[in-house]
Amino acid sequence: MTKAVADNTVLSNFALIEREQLLRAVLGDTLAATEAVMEELRRGERKGIVPLRDWSWLTVLKIDSEPERNAYAIFSETLGKGESSCLSLALSKKLLLLTDDVDARMMAHRRSVKVSERLVCSCWP
């Protein structure tokens, strides 16, 4: 059963450090991405920006209901496709949203969508 949806930045960052299996170890089959997120990720892989990694274990969700399409249309006025699709599905399916996008996080909070906590290191400025 899917419990969380991750955007491209989250997946790309784990791919860049070659630790995507940490996501799998912690969230397993409860983690998903959207079709738009996977398109962004694959585009980054084709361009050589993101290393090729095995994402076959990751559930890929589609926006397939009218409420999800309506929410996507509203969110995509200010957010990218990946963030809009993740937020739409998180709202519809009551999923945890994994994103570092400030605007997506603010929109999620306004709609009572649970958002992953941001990690802050005391050594960062």
Side-chain angles (χ1 to χ4, degrees):
M1 175 182 194
T2 302
K3 294 183 180 178
V5 61
D7 73 5
N8 181 51
T9 302
V10 172
L11 300 182
S12 293
N13 284 339
F14 278 89
L16 286 166
I17 62 169
E18 299 180 355
R19 295 293 186 262
E20 73 286 346
Q21 292 304 318
L22 289 175
L23 286 172
R24 187 176 189 185
V26 172
L27 297 167
D29 62 357
T30 68
L31 179 63
T34 66
E35 291 177 318
V37 166
M38 294 310 292
E39 287 173 19
E40 289 177 13
L41 183 65
R42 299 299 182 211
R43 191 169 37 255
E45 290 173 343
R46 283 191 304 275
K47 291 180 176 181
I49 298 168
V50 178
L52 287 170
R53 306 304 295 169
D54 177 16
W55 297 103
S56 62
W57 56 272
L58 188 65
T59 300
V60 179
L61 301 175
K62 296 180 182 184
I63 293 178
D64 56 9
S65 74
E66 192 65 27
E68 291 166 355
R69 285 189 288 274
N70 291 339
Y72 176 82
I74 291 167
F75 298 144
S76 63
E77 290 176 7
T78 55
L79 300 175
K81 291 179 182 179
E83 290 82 8
S84 296
S85 62
C86 286
L87 184 51
S88 300
L89 289 167
L91 179 63
S92 170
K93 299 181 184 306
K94 306 212 181 321
L95 303 174
L96 174 67
L97 176 63
L98 279 63
T99 183
D100 74 330
D101 186 282
V102 173
D103 293 329
R105 294 174 71 81
M106 288 187 337
M107 284 186 175
H109 286 297
R110 283 193 292 251
R111 287 159 181 82
S112 299
V113 171
K114 292 181 183 177
V115 181
S116 59
E117 293 296 320
R118 294 176 69 161
L119 298 178
V120 178
C121 176
S122 62
C123 59
W124 293 345

